[in-house]
Amino acid sequence: MLPSFIVIGILIVASQYVFLKGSFYKDLGLGRIGDTAVLDNYIRFFTDPFYLRTLWITIKTSALAAFFTLLLGFPVAYLIARMRSRWSMLLLAGIVVATFVTIVIKVFGLIIIFAADGWVNKMLLGLHIVDRPYTIIGNQVGVVVGLMHFTLGFGVLLLYSVIQTIPRSLEEAAQIHGASRFRMHLRVLLPLSLPGITVGSLMIFNMCMGAFTSAALLGGGRVFTLPVLIQRTVMMEVKYSMAGTLSAILLITVLLINLLSVFLLRRFRTARLVVT
Amino acid sequence: MTIKRRKAATQGALIAIGLGVAASASAGEFDGVTLTIATWGGTWKSNIEEVIVPKFEAMGGKVEFVTGSPQANLAKLIAARGRAPFDVMEVLDAQEKDFFTTGDFIQNVDLSKIPNAEGLDDWQRNESRVASWNTQETICYDKGKFAELGLEPPTTYTDLINEKLAGRISIPDITSGGGLANFGAFAYAAGGDETNVQPALDLINKLDALKFWSRGGEVITQFQSGDVYAAIVHAGWCTRAKNAGANVTTAHPKINDEHTGVNKYGWLVIMKSSENTDAANWYINEYLDPEFQLRLATKAGVVPVNKEAIARLEEDPVLAEMLVLDPAKLDTQLRIDYSKADIASWNDQWNRAVTK
């Protein structure tokens, strides 16, 4: 047990400690940091509209990606979970395999599909839905799509495991008692799966908050999320302390949002809006 | 006649013996030496592996690589607190202050051991660095699309501000290899300079670029997919796009009355912590060899610093079209003076201006 704890401690706690500690010192240029602890970087972050906007873009794109991932993932997960044929396992295996494909390949696939001469734009132009090719590169829509692409497989797998725990008999009982399919989903399936959905959405949201590749490639250097800004701060400006501050704020923001969600979930449970 | 033949044969034998002795003397010159080079990956590294590495191995040594952009390698150097995990590093002129002002990271090169540096201009070699190549930063444009849209070939950056080109321009992100050089050039073209880059940001925002590319390979993909009609990119990437089937050529932008075209330099430095200085100097000399310079130019599209190699580039019709090779015209190309630039401030201003 002890060796595992030591390894995990070094990998997780020690690395976090290094950048958290570094965030309290001033950058002196060329990667050097001062020797007196100050709050300058944090003050700069919270008083500079550029940094605050970056934080907002990070939260917004992550929340939208998590929402749409769940929205699109739920029907697929439900379908697979309720399938009685052997195809369900095949579909699930397909999703698992797709999840492990590196995001760089997936994103380049998206870029090709949405290219000016790609089939999506050919179809949109052909149907006169747009009058000039639509691009997902270099805007927030593209980043959201990229994040969804990154998390959709995980989302389906998470929701599948949640739906599987809900007995099919409950759905059948509701329908026997006259509930329509829509009403059964709204009044039975959704409340029963809400704790799972909440946990799943938090996991997807957390993944999106820290995602770099999708945001960097599809943002096209025009959409800055915090991970993108951290990379630029380290690589281009060699400001390790400021990068540490940005990382710390990202970590704390994610923690706060997760704690707030758990708190709200408990409140809902107390008010019996969620079935557990 | 017979006497002459005998004399020639004797001379030939002596030369052969001499060469043999020289070869055997140098064969083990770097026995047990592992030289680590910080450079780019891909085609760049392959050229070195195919030409320089076999020669070094024949002399008993071994070459290892740390691949990445100069910025990334600088970050590794800083993280290692100056104890560089490499002996020789390729750096860009944009890193002027990082390397050449402080002198914290590098040791002197020994020009007496680099005879191939003799052909360089004085400013291209000194005790701390030796120029290794340069790029010509251009407007690479799709000839067919421009003709189809009724547009004249571009001669300035402002020629790209056109409704017909909206969303069809690709320019380098400030984090890319040519980002700073082109950003500086934009500043000059718009009336600014190294100390005032705001005019560059105003000009860039007017261009309505599709995206900012961070790796040159992206530009090739963009031309092939029809996403862009023009890109600010060095001639090497434009050449590669042309070789990949895109109908492109270069225009060397008129910056102002003094300058037409933009130039960016690469340098070789020896790290302060290196203990393989003889091998490092040998490596730099081989890098400047005309044959290697020519190979790098034809494969990677950069411009040699070796004058013999530059002259031979004119024999390549594609490179002759893409590059400016006339020494008089080369002198008018803009080179940014990074000693005057506050790069951190450039980055900060860029980030704030381009974010959507």
Side-chain angles (χ1 to χ4, degrees):
Chain A
M1 288 285 274
L2 192 63
S4 307
F5 275 102
I6 291 170
V7 171
I8 289 170
I10 291 169
L11 287 177
I12 298 174
V13 182
S15 62
Q16 308 285 316
Y17 171 75
V18 168
F19 77 74
L20 272 173
K21 187 184 171 207
S23 71
F24 290 104
Y25 294 89
K26 245 185 171 174
D27 282 299
L28 300 177
L30 283 178
R32 290 167 299 188
I33 58 172
D35 49 12
T36 314
V38 287
L39 286 171
D40 289 26
N41 292 335
Y42 287 91
I43 292 168
R44 188 176 171 206
F45 184 96
F46 288 109
T47 54
D48 188 331
F50 170 70
Y51 288 114
L52 293 174
R53 186 162 182 268
T54 304
L55 177 62
W56 167 238
I57 289 172
T58 313
I59 294 171
K60 186 173 81 173
T61 51
S62 301
L64 284 170
F67 173 75
F68 285 111
T69 296
L70 291 172
L71 196 69
L72 294 175
F74 194 88
V76 177
Y78 179 78
L79 194 76
I80 297 172
R82 293 297 186 242
M83 273 174 95
R84 290 177 198 270
S85 78
R86 66 182 65 172
W87 284 100
S88 63
M89 278 301 112
L90 203 65
L91 284 170
L92 209 59
I95 289 165
V96 171
V97 170
T99 305
F100 291 126
V101 175
T102 171
I103 187 63
V104 177
I105 303 291
K106 290 183 190 176
V107 167
F108 275 113
L110 278 179
I111 291 171
I112 291 166
I113 290 169
F114 281 92
D117 288 339
W119 65 265
V120 170
N121 271 313
K122 276 184 181 163
M123 189 178 71
L124 292 174
L125 288 164
L127 295 170
H128 300 288
I129 295 170
V130 295
D131 55 4
R132 60 182 266 195
Y134 177 74
T135 183
I136 58 164
I137 302 170
N139 56 50
Q140 289 183 30
V141 175
V143 173
V144 171
V145 172
L147 292 174
M148 282 171 62
H149 206 15
F150 171 49
T151 55
L152 199 56
F154 290 107
V156 171
L157 290 176
L158 279 168
L159 292 169
Y160 169 83
S161 60
V162 170
I163 294 164
Q164 272 230 319
T165 61
I166 301 168
R168 192 193 299 261
S169 56
L170 290 176
E171 294 176 31
E172 290 165 352
Q175 287 186 305
I176 288 167
H177 285 86
S180 66
R181 202 162 174 75
F182 174 74
R183 198 169 169 78
M184 180 277 292
H185 274 98
L186 193 68
R187 300 300 296 271
V188 178
L189 199 62
L190 190 64
L192 285 172
S193 54
L194 203 54
I197 289 175
T198 310
V199 172
S201 61
L202 281 176
M203 285 180 75
I204 293 167
F205 175 79
N206 296 345
M207 285 170 71
C208 293
M209 286 288 282
F212 167 74
T213 313
S214 318
L217 292 178
L218 286 164
R222 308 205 71 155
V223 181
F224 291 165
T225 58
L226 273 177
V228 173
L229 196 60
I230 291 166
Q231 187 262 356
R232 292 171 92 97
T233 309
V234 171
M235 299 305 293
M236 282 303 290
E237 300 178 36
V238 205
K239 288 182 177 171
Y240 293 151
S241 295
M242 191 63 202
T245 306
L246 297 175
S247 307
I249 287 168
L250 178 63
L251 179 72
I252 292 163
T253 305
V254 169
L255 279 175
L256 286 177
I257 290 173
N258 280 262
L259 288 173
L260 184 69
S261 304
V262 172
F263 171 75
L264 288 176
L265 194 63
R266 280 193 181 163
R267 291 289 297 266
F268 284 146
R269 273 182 191 160
T270 312
R272 293 188 181 280
L273 293 171
V274 177
V275 181
T276 54
Chain B
M1 195 71 176
T2 314
I3 293 168
K4 275 186 181 172
R5 271 189 197 154
R6 274 188 194 157
K7 199 177 172 186
T10 312
Q11 280 175 345
L14 285 171
I15 290 167
I17 291 165
L19 284 174
V21 169
S24 64
S26 63
E29 192 177 343
F30 297 122
D31 274 343
V33 174
T34 300
L35 188 69
T36 308
I37 310 294
T39 186
W40 287 273
T43 313
W44 201 277
K45 184 181 141 203
S46 303
N47 285 315
I48 300 168
E49 282 175 325
E50 287 163 23
V51 179
I52 301 179
V53 172
K55 288 186 192 175
F56 193 68
E57 285 175 346
M59 297 167 90
K62 188 178 154 199
V63 177
E64 289 181 351
F65 292 92
V66 173
T67 55
S69 67
Q71 293 95 326
N73 287 333
L74 172 64
K76 290 170 199 165
L77 185 57
I78 290 168
R81 297 181 192 278
R83 288 291 308 170
F86 32 80
D87 298 295
V88 179
M89 181 176 170
E90 302 229 26
V91 304
L92 297 173
D93 45 12
Q95 294 172 309
E96 171 87 34
K97 283 185 182 170
D98 300 338
F99 285 96
F100 310 124
T101 308
T102 64
D104 286 348
F105 301 124
I106 54 175
Q107 59 174 291
N108 286 351
V109 292
D110 186 348
L111 288 172
S112 70
K113 291 180 179 165
I114 310 174
N116 283 328
E118 281 170 17
L120 304 185
D121 290 336
D122 285 346
W123 67 270
Q124 292 175 326
R125 60 191 163 117
N126 62 32
E127 60 184 16
S128 61
R129 59 180 167 179
V130 177
S132 46
W133 48 265
N134 66 88
T135 58
Q136 295 181 0
E137 306 294 326
T138 67
I139 300 171
C140 178
Y141 66 99
D142 186 321
K143 290 183 281 188
K145 284 289 178 191
F146 268 62
E148 194 181 308
L149 297 168
L151 298 171
E152 290 293 317
T155 56
T156 64
Y157 296 130
T158 48
D159 288 346
L160 301 177
I161 305 171
N162 189 311
E163 178 57 29
K164 291 175 182 171
L165 296 174
R168 297 294 193 164
I169 308 289
S170 184
I171 65 176
D173 189 275
I174 198 164
T175 60
S176 69
L180 292 166
N182 282 295
F183 187 36
F186 273 115
Y188 269 93
D193 57 25
E194 289 90 346
T195 58
N196 174 24
V197 291
Q198 188 54 46
L201 295 166
D202 296 338
L203 176 58
I204 287 166
N205 278 327
K206 280 184 203 161
L207 281 175
D208 194 7
L210 167 74
K211 68 167 294 192
F212 301 129
W213 60 262
S214 51
R215 284 162 299 279
E218 292 173 49
V219 175
I220 300 175
T221 313
Q222 288 167 352
F223 275 118
Q224 284 179 318
S225 66
D227 272 350
V228 302
Y229 299 160
I232 309 297
V233 68
H234 82 67
W237 287 112
C238 199
T239 306
R240 290 189 221 183
K242 187 184 177 83
N243 292 340
N247 183 20
V248 292
T249 192
T250 56
H252 297 263
K254 182 174 169 58
I255 305 296
N256 53 27
D257 292 339
E258 269 180 71
H259 300 291
T260 297
V262 183
N263 218 297
K264 176 187 86 212
Y265 265 78
W267 304 85
L268 288 169
V269 296
I270 302 176
M271 311 322 296
K272 197 168 222 169
S273 58
S274 172
E275 289 168 0
N276 300 319
T277 48
D278 282 348
N281 283 305
W282 176 91
Y283 175 85
I284 294 174
N285 190 53
E286 287 300 313
Y287 204 105
L288 297 179
D289 181 77
E291 292 305 323
F292 180 72
Q293 289 267 299
L294 195 66
R295 182 190 170 104
L296 201 57
T298 49
K299 299 273 183 184
V302 295
V303 185
V305 286
N306 183 292
K307 291 188 173 59
E308 184 190 327
I310 295 174
R312 284 167 63 187
L313 273 188
E314 286 182 20
E315 294 163 16
D316 185 314
V318 175
L319 290 175
E321 176 196 332
M322 296 287 186
L323 297 168
V324 169
L325 298 171
D326 177 354
K329 286 184 181 170
L330 279 171
D331 284 345
T332 70
Q333 294 197 328
L334 174 70
R335 278 195 310 117
I336 303 300
D337 183 354
Y338 291 99
S339 65
K340 294 178 186 167
D342 180 349
I343 301 297
S345 169
W346 281 23
N347 275 298
D348 193 50
Q349 289 182 69
W350 172 283
N351 288 348
R352 288 163 196 275
V354 304
T355 182
K356 269 190 173 177

